[in-house]
Amino acid sequence: MDNRKTEKYLEIAFIAVFFLIITIPVIFWGNQKERSIKLEKRFLNEFYLPADMSAITSDYTKDVESFITDHLGFRADFVTFTNQLRYKIFGADAIPSSERVIEGKDGWLFYNPQGISGDPIGDYLGETTFSNEDIDNIINQLLSIQSVCDSVGSKFCLVICPNKECIYGDLYLPDYYSQERAEETRTDKLVDRIKDTTNIDCVYSKEELMSQRDDYLLYYKHDTHWNKLGAYITYREWYSHVFGKELPELESCRLTP
């Protein structure tokens, strides 16, 4: 008798949990709309009424289905979890390339690795940051490298390359990203600490690249890397740090992207 009661209670509990799972996305309808737009790099489908009964076709029902799935609660979390699960089980190739690239304005493309290697978009938005402990650990490692270089009579110079989003994001990322640029990225924070607390020679050409971006194309539109003009700006700054001499300004060089 007790076993039957236990089984009955388990059945009731199972039904209750199942009902709760399928209703939670409805209860929290649309709670991650903005996150979903940023994550999926598109505007979500919206509901519309048909003009008349003849407009209720299979295409219309598909649009309604897309509207419902786009606005279910916790959609962004589910998409992120699915991508991470694909990556852990099958590797990076299991995540469609279209989900790792953001199509920006004027044909610009931006890398969005989705947890594969770094988070340039999270850095651009200020969502990804270094803790003080992280920065301390990085600086300690850099000081160790500098000590080794000093011991053999070599000069240590740290060169940090700004990512494409930080230089061109506010100009060419979609509007739902470009207006939310962080005032300070985690790299900015790290560089400031290095310069304030150590004697490490650090080259971080973000300001110079920003000042030249309107006059020259410094990064590839369809690639995450800088082109040779962007590289030259940083090389010029590095050369000045290491050799104490100035190379020609970019405008005096006959270079092409």
Side-chain angles (χ1 to χ4, degrees):
M1 190 67 177
D2 291 338
N3 289 337
R4 291 181 180 179
K5 284 185 177 181
T6 301
E7 290 177 359
K8 184 177 181 180
Y9 290 146
L10 288 175
E11 290 175 357
I12 293 173
F14 176 80
I15 293 171
V17 171
F18 177 77
F19 181 77
L20 182 63
I21 290 174
I22 64 175
T23 55
I24 281 178
V26 178
I27 294 173
F28 292 93
W29 178 270
N31 69 327
Q32 294 187 337
K33 180 178 179 179
E34 295 303 322
R35 279 190 59 198
S36 295
I37 289 173
K38 294 176 182 178
L39 178 64
E40 300 179 50
K41 306 168 288 298
R42 64 181 179 87
F43 291 104
L44 305 184
N45 290 285
E46 297 297 338
F47 179 76
Y48 64 93
L49 293 173
D52 51 55
M53 294 300 293
S54 63
I56 303 179
T57 63
S58 59
D59 289 337
Y60 176 74
T61 57
K62 288 179 181 177
D63 289 342
V64 173
E65 290 176 4
S66 297
F67 162 71
I68 293 173
T69 56
D70 275 0
H71 292 79
L72 288 174
F74 303 103
R75 175 182 175 84
D77 287 338
F78 179 76
V79 172
T80 299
F81 172 77
T82 302
N83 284 339
Q84 290 177 345
L85 190 63
R86 284 180 188 169
Y87 172 64
K88 290 183 180 297
I89 297 176
F90 302 108
D93 291 338
I95 301 178
S97 59
S98 61
E99 296 184 17
R100 302 199 297 267
V101 176
I102 294 172
E103 183 176 353
K105 302 172 185 176
D106 298 337
W108 281 67
L109 301 179
F110 293 88
Y111 186 44
N112 186 34
Q114 297 276 311
I116 297 171
S117 57
D119 185 11
I121 296 298
D123 195 25
Y124 171 83
L125 298 173
E127 295 174 351
T128 304
T129 187
F130 289 130
S131 67
N132 289 329
E133 182 180 0
D134 291 333
I135 292 178
D136 289 341
N137 289 335
I138 293 171
I139 287 178
N140 287 336
Q141 290 294 324
L142 293 173
L143 289 172
S144 296
I145 296 172
Q146 184 182 50
S147 178
V148 172
C149 291
D150 290 343
S151 67
V152 294
S154 297
K155 179 177 176 57
F156 174 60
C157 181
L158 174 66
V159 179
I160 299 179
C161 308
N163 64 42
K164 180 178 176 179
E165 286 78 3
C166 288
I167 303 302
Y168 283 107
D170 60 324
L171 297 179
Y172 298 111
L173 275 171
D175 288 337
Y176 47 82
Y177 286 110
S178 60
Q179 303 303 317
E180 300 186 21
R181 179 179 191 152
E183 292 184 5
E184 182 183 55
T185 68
R186 61 177 179 173
T187 308
D188 297 335
K189 184 178 178 181
L190 173 63
V191 170
D192 287 343
R193 180 79 71 81
I194 290 173
K195 291 182 177 180
D196 290 343
T197 64
T198 75
N199 63 346
I200 294 173
D201 195 358
C202 180
V203 174
Y204 183 48
S205 56
K206 180 179 177 179
E207 289 187 8
E208 184 64 20
L209 289 166
M210 290 288 289
S211 69
Q212 300 274 10
R213 68 176 185 171
D214 293 332
D215 298 320
Y216 302 96
L217 180 65
L218 305 178
Y219 285 70
Y220 293 108
K221 291 178 65 173
H222 302 147
D223 193 309
T224 192
H225 302 96
W226 55 25
N227 57 28
K228 57 186 177 183
L229 300 185
Y232 179 76
I233 288 175
T234 300
Y235 173 75
R236 183 175 182 274
E237 190 169 335
W238 169 84
Y239 191 91
S240 174
H241 277 241
V242 174
F243 298 104
K245 299 178 182 179
E246 296 292 334
L247 291 175
E249 296 281 353
L250 190 59
E251 54 265 26
S252 64
C253 299
R254 293 184 178 180
L255 296 172
T256 56

